[in-house]
């Protein structure tokens, strides 16, 4: 189970404990002492920076590292080792939470690659959606003024938005695969496309929440 940990070669450095050259990533190859953990989520899991990840593989890596970093293993170790293990545990949990979720994973990679997320929301909403949003707001106004006849229409809006989200998620899977296979400028072009898609997704997801909120307020 510990094979891949010993193979963590992405960012090797000299071991602070035994001094072996290029011997250490999270654990030294020679003395097995824990090292200063990398804050890079992919490096931490010893994974290449791909957007399409195998969830089972990620989970196995998470559980293996959780065991290796368990506080019980460090109670009798030096102050330095305890500190590194705590830092590593904290990065492990953050990294797992982010990488296991495709949307958060993509947002993480976008930020790391210098694409700020969420600053293009309005620009990225296509015109056909703006019209739908306009109609939706009218229906919500009618609901607020007590007109229950708009309920079926709102339910239809809601279902349409959920369909859109499902299609967007399928599209994202395809974009992830294309991103992973691409390099250089092509890869950055696909990242820009992923960012627009995520902004559009967030916008639609907010619409669904708004409809749900209004319907719940109505039923309260
Ligand atoms: Zn060592």
């Amino acid at each position: 189970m510990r094979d891949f940990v010993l193979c963590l070669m992405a960012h090797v450095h000299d071991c602070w404990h035994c001094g072996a050259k290029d011997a250490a990533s999270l654990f030294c190859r020679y003395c097995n002492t824990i090292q200063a953990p990398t804050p890079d989520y992919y490096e931490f899991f010893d994974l290449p920076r791909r957007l399409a990840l195998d969830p089972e593989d990620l989970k196995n890596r998470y559980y293996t590292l959780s065991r290796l970093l368990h506080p019980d293993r460090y109670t009798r170790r030096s102050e330095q080792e305890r500190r590194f293990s705590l830092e590593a545990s904290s990065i492990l949990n953050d990294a797992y939470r982010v990488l296991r979720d495709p949307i958060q994973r993509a947002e993480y990679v976008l930020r790391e690659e210098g694409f700020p997320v969420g600053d293009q929301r309005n620009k990225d909403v296509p015109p056909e959606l703006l019209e739908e949003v306009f109609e939706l707001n009218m229906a919500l106004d009618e609901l607020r003024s007590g007109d229950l006849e708009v309920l079926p229409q709102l339910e239809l809006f809601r279902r349409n938005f959920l369909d859109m989200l499902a299609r967007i998620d399928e599209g994202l899977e395809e974009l992830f695969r294309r991103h992973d296979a691409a390099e250089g400028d092509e890869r950055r072009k696909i990242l820009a496309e992923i960012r627009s898609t995520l902004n559009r997704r967030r916008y639609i997801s907010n619409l669904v929440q708004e409809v749900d909120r209004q319907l719940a307020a109505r039923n309260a």
Side-chain angles (χ1 to χ4, degrees), residues 167-178:
R167 281 199 301 277
I168 285 175
D169 286 349
E170 282 168 23
L172 275 174
E173 275 182 37
E174 176 61 23
L175 281 169
F176 285 2
R177 277 193 294 273
R178 279 174 50 209

Side-chain angles (χ1 to χ4, degrees), residues 15 17-20 28 30-33 35:
C15 175
H17 185 71
C18 73
C28 173
Y30 297 100
C31 69
N32 207 29
T33 302
Q35 310 290 313

